[in-house]
């Protein structure tokens, strides 16, 4: 695929596309960042009040894009470019870190209310939750039959298993 | 990359490589299946006796390949080919299903001993654990600083939180 083919597909003049992006690689990674942000906007993550809201939100984000050709088309191309270029890899890594930072704040607040065990640190739990999200996304792209909701409900059950006092 | 370049890199005559693989795409996906099987052999997964052994094993498998160029080189290429070809995608999906089947047996045995809540089904928990493994693998390739062990320990803590009776 060339930048010209991408410009044609987007209905833009080739000059516009090549003016804004230094290379096809950069364009693909920017497109992937855009796809990720549209799939699960950081603003939506920041707006969540409690940890139990996070897992259904994650599950519906994945389900919503399940048959999406955009995701299946753009993400693997971008991952391939990122594997080859450290600068592009760092762009994606930085976005992932931001998701984890916001998720760890949710965990911290939830732990203060005594609703989750304080033993795993907020950072460790946020890293786990982010991995679950992207792991399920990857596996659902490979396997259309995958029960994504079942897996996020399982994590939800594990996270709230200790919530014996029935905190809201 | 051409099949000739791959043959050169592997120190094999080009004819040998092109005789065994119908296309470069097929070769890349076969290479990925091989990398996955070497990273975490199914035989090793089948040999595990208890669920708590699984997460440290997963963590060391990921850590062992962290700086591995093979993983970073082969997996993204294979994912890209799989995204474009349903037959190749099905090969990877079938291997993933086999990992989940074996992991769900571990969960089932562990639940029978009363060591994990029986509420999430073995299949849902196995799907979750497999997603954690591949999600952490993906994120650790993107971010060398990622605390993989911390995240698997967090899942381990959640899984065993209800194990109050100290079953081994």
């Amino acid at each position: 695929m060339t930048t010209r083919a991408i410009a044609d597909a987007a209905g833009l003049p080739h000059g516009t596309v090549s003016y804004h992006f230094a290379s096809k690689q950069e364009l693909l990674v920017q497109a992937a960042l855009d796809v990720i942000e549209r799939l699960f906007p950081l603003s939506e993550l920041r707006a969540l009040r409690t940890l139990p809201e996070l897992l259904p939100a994650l599950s519906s984000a994945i389900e919503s894009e399940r048959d999406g050709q955009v995701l299946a088309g753009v993400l693997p191309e971008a991952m391939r470019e990122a594997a080859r270029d450290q600068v592009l890899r760092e762009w994606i890594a930085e976005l992932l870190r931001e998701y984890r930072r916001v998720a760890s704040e949710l965990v911290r607040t939830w732990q203060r209310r005594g609703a989750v065990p304080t033993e795993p640190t907020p950072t460790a739990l946020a890293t786990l939750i982010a991995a679950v999200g992207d792991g399920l996304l990857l596996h659902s792209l490979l396997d259309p039959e995958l029960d994504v909701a079942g897996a996020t409900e399982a994590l939800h059950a594990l996270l709230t298993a200790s919530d014996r006092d029935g905190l809201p």
Side-chain angles (χ1 to χ4, degrees), chain A:
Chain A
M1 202 188 247
T2 60
T3 48
R4 185 171 298 279
I6 295 168
D8 287 349
L12 293 169
H14 182 230
T16 309
V17 172
S18 56
Y19 176 81
H20 283 286
F21 300 98
S23 63
K24 186 188 74 170
Q25 287 70 26
E26 183 178 321
L27 189 154
L28 279 167
V29 172
Q30 282 291 2
L33 295 179
D34 190 58
V35 166
I36 295 167
E37 244 286 301
R38 267 190 296 159
L39 183 66
F40 198 163
L42 271 167
S43 59
E44 195 182 303
L45 183 59
R46 288 198 189 97
L48 295 178
R49 298 298 200 80
T50 70
L51 189 61
E53 293 172 66
L54 175 56
L55 298 173
L58 203 62
S59 177
S60 21
I62 297 169
E63 293 285 359
S64 74
E65 270 296 328
R66 189 150 212 170
D67 304 315
Q69 291 307 305
V70 175
L71 201 65
V74 169
L75 281 192
E77 295 282 345
M79 281 301 300
R80 176 172 177 256
E81 299 309 335
R84 298 166 162 202
D85 184 315
Q86 206 195 326
V87 172
L88 301 180
R89 197 155 60 235
E90 182 54 32
W91 290 0
I92 301 182
E94 186 46 41
L95 180 62
L96 285 173
R97 278 184 217 117
E98 185 57 20
Y99 277 101
R100 287 199 294 263
R101 262 194 293 271
V102 180
S104 73
E105 281 310 310
L106 266 181
V107 174
R108 192 168 286 117
T109 309
W110 201 237
Q111 284 182 331
R112 278 204 203 103
R113 300 177 65 180
V116 219
T118 52
E119 190 37 56
T121 64
T123 306
L125 275 178
T127 303
L128 176 67
I129 293 167
V132 169
D134 273 356
L136 287 174
L137 184 63
L138 180 69
H139 288 180
S140 73
L141 290 176
L142 288 165
D143 186 351
E145 305 292 313
L146 194 74
D147 183 8
V148 171
T152 56
E153 281 158 22
L155 180 58
H156 189 278
L158 292 178
L159 280 170
T160 55
S162 58
D163 184 8
R164 306 286 180 213
D165 306 322
L167 285 171

